[in-house]
Amino acid sequence: MPEAPAGTLYRGREGMWSWVAHRVTGFLIFFFLLVHVLDTSLVRVSPEAYNAVIGTYKNPIMGLGEAGLVAAVVFHALNGVRIILVDFWAKGVRYQRVMLWVVVGVFVVLMAGFLPVHLSHVFGGE
Amino acid sequence: MTATTTSPAASVGEVPSFDVTLRFRRFDPDAANPEPFWQEFTVTAHGTDRVLDAMHKVKWELDGTLTFRRSCAHGICGSDAMRINGRNRLACKTLLKDLDLSKPIVIEPIKGLPVVKDLVVDMEPFFASYREVMPFLIAQGNTPSKERRQSPEDRARYDDTTKCILCAACTTSCPVFWTDGQYFGPAAIVNAHRFIFDSRDEGAAQRLEVLNDKEGVWRCRTTFNCTDACPRGIEVTKAIAEVKRAMITRAF
Ligand code: FES
């Protein structure tokens, strides 16, 4: 049925938003892998072309992209474990919200360790 | 708005009354240009009123064309599931005092089923999925001459899922169902669970086979919207997870 003048957004809670985040990060990772397979396969065409393409990746924008990619992978992996537990651990459903905060906590810790190192590489020269 | 000043209401005295604004998402299939639109009404309500009472006031006193379903008005029949302030709720179980009345209360039809008129949706796809899980006792052998006995423990195993009133609040809160109407949806799985875990029932294998379909339980993405939406407090996502697990443990 028609959807014109938009209805409101469904006000889901943590479970729904973690699912949205899981989708978005999953899509980003898929997109990266697609590009990655293409640029890596360039090496079969000509190693020079491959080197040229890889060379263009060495700039701050790509550096930020890498940081985003790592963030996406880390969240997707941790939340993936949470979803497995929700489905296959008898108590998982009851602790789904707690587990989400654990996922967020571990994510923050890991990113806090990774980002300073990575960003200093990206912006601090070689 | 005039009706509140009559004497029976005044004699209630202690119950505070206040104005509430309801904002409906309406749809009239017979209009020249059938497009959904928003419309607001303000009525006076009492502190003990539910959203359904305010809606009755609108329908009975302001605009008789406002269309919605309700029957029991006491959370039993499952007729009046709708989206209230963005979440699926029964209008008859939602107290006005629990809502933020400084803003209009936003009322929309449940999502994912075709809207027939205003808040009335076509429930047929929902019931079709329900029928597919065979929601009745399947037992082989001779007709028993006495009742089929069951221990309290065995009964408790599926107690939660006996409470379903088929209001569709869970199924239409599910993002998977919104984008894929073929998905069985939480309500059908809950009602399958009710028999799969019933010690007297012998149809579990058939039901699990139905739900092992690509539009079956594996489409559940554990968003927990259904658990939050259920007006009977059924732990819907938990029931679905149990069916998923039964599918694996009983297959091997
Ligand atoms: S009117 Fe029967 S459940 Fe609300």
Side-chain angles (χ1 to χ4, degrees):
Chain A
M1 283 287 131
E3 266 297 297
T8 63
L9 207 59
Y10 194 89
R11 283 178 54 213
R13 308 191 44 172
E14 295 90 336
M16 179 170 120
W17 294 115
S18 69
W19 167 77
V20 170
H22 203 78
R23 265 288 146 95
V24 170
T25 53
F27 182 78
L28 289 176
I29 295 166
F30 172 77
F31 190 72
F32 161 75
L33 286 176
L34 204 69
V35 174
H36 187 57
V37 165
L38 289 180
D39 64 18
T40 310
S41 62
L42 257 186
V43 81
R44 313 264 317 174
V45 181
S46 98
E48 291 77 40
Y50 174 80
N51 283 340
V53 169
I54 297 299
T56 64
Y57 290 172
K58 280 204 175 354
N59 65 57
I61 299 193
M62 273 313 205
L64 286 179
E66 279 161 15
L69 178 67
V70 170
V73 170
V74 168
F75 177 83
H76 201 80
L78 293 173
N79 195 51
V81 173
R82 168 177 165 270
I83 295 171
I84 292 171
L85 289 174
V86 166
D87 272 340
F88 297 116
W89 172 43
K91 296 207 181 90
V93 173
R94 195 139 303 162
Y95 294 115
Q96 61 101 357
R97 211 161 284 159
V98 179
M99 290 197 296
L100 179 62
W101 298 129
V102 172
V103 164
V104 171
V106 174
F107 174 83
V108 168
V109 169
L110 289 180
M111 292 313 283
F114 164 76
L115 278 184
V117 178
H118 177 71
L119 292 181
S120 70
H121 276 295
V122 172
F123 293 105
E126 287 313 291
Chain B
M1 258 171 280
T2 48
T4 47
T5 51
T6 53
S7 48
S11 69
V12 175
E14 297 307 312
V15 182
S17 70
F18 41 78
D19 280 358
V20 292
T21 303
L22 305 172
R23 186 170 152 78
F24 293 101
R25 184 175 175 80
R26 303 194 59 181
F27 173 73
D28 179 3
D30 299 324
N33 169 31
E35 281 276 302
F37 60 99
W38 292 96
Q39 192 174 10
E40 287 189 10
F41 297 96
T42 303
V43 292
T44 305
H46 298 289
T48 50
D49 281 351
R50 302 152 301 168
V51 172
L52 183 65
D53 297 307
M55 291 173 62
H56 276 152
K57 264 196 130 172
V58 173
K59 184 167 177 73
W60 293 338
E61 295 167 17
L62 298 176
D63 184 350
T65 65
L66 180 71
T67 308
F68 56 89
R69 275 196 198 108
R70 69 97 177 82
S71 178
C72 69
H74 290 83
I76 297 299
C77 69
S79 304
D80 61 343
M82 50 193 75
R83 202 139 61 96
I84 299 173
N85 282 350
R87 294 191 172 127
N88 284 0
R89 295 288 181 261
L90 293 181
C92 64
K93 278 192 87 171
T94 308
L95 287 167
L96 289 174
K97 70 174 173 61
D98 294 339
L99 300 174
D100 175 9
L101 298 179
S102 62
K103 288 180 290 184
I105 300 170
V106 181
I107 302 176
E108 294 158 89
I110 45 179
K111 219 171 141 118
L113 291 168
V115 177
V116 176
K117 185 176 182 185
D118 290 349
L119 301 170
V120 175
V121 298
D122 177 8
M123 298 279 279
E124 188 41 41
F126 172 80
F127 286 122
S129 304
Y130 173 59
R131 283 193 293 268
E132 263 187 78
V133 301
M134 298 173 284
F136 41 80
L137 187 83
I138 298 177
Q140 257 83 58
N142 299 327
T143 316
S145 52
K146 56 183 172 52
E147 70 272 29
R148 299 171 201 269
R149 304 283 302 267
Q150 184 170 50
S151 71
E153 295 74 41
D154 283 346
R155 174 63 177 74
R157 182 68 193 81
Y158 61 92
D159 184 64
D160 203 33
T161 45
T162 61
K163 300 175 192 158
C164 178
I165 56 175
L166 295 171
C167 64
C170 59
T171 294
T172 58
S173 76
C174 178
V176 178
F177 182 77
W178 299 334
T179 49
D180 174 9
Q182 297 300 308
Y183 172 43
F184 275 87
I189 301 171
V190 159
N191 285 282
H193 178 285
R194 185 249 169 272
F195 287 98
I196 290 169
F197 293 94
D198 185 335
S199 60
R200 300 164 297 184
D201 185 82
E202 290 161 21
Q206 291 175 54
R207 294 194 179 86
L208 289 174
E209 176 138 5
V210 170
L211 290 176
N212 203 8
D213 187 82
K214 91 174 201 300
E215 303 291 353
V217 283
W218 303 112
R219 300 232 57 185
C220 166
R221 295 291 186 270
T222 64
T223 70
F224 288 88
N225 278 9
C226 50
T227 305
D228 175 65
C230 180
R232 308 302 310 269
I234 301 172
E235 291 182 87
V236 183
T237 314
K238 181 164 174 251
I240 297 174
E242 286 174 358
V243 174
K244 285 177 182 165
R245 260 177 268 143
M247 216 161 265
I248 289 172
T249 53
R250 295 191 192 184
F252 300 111

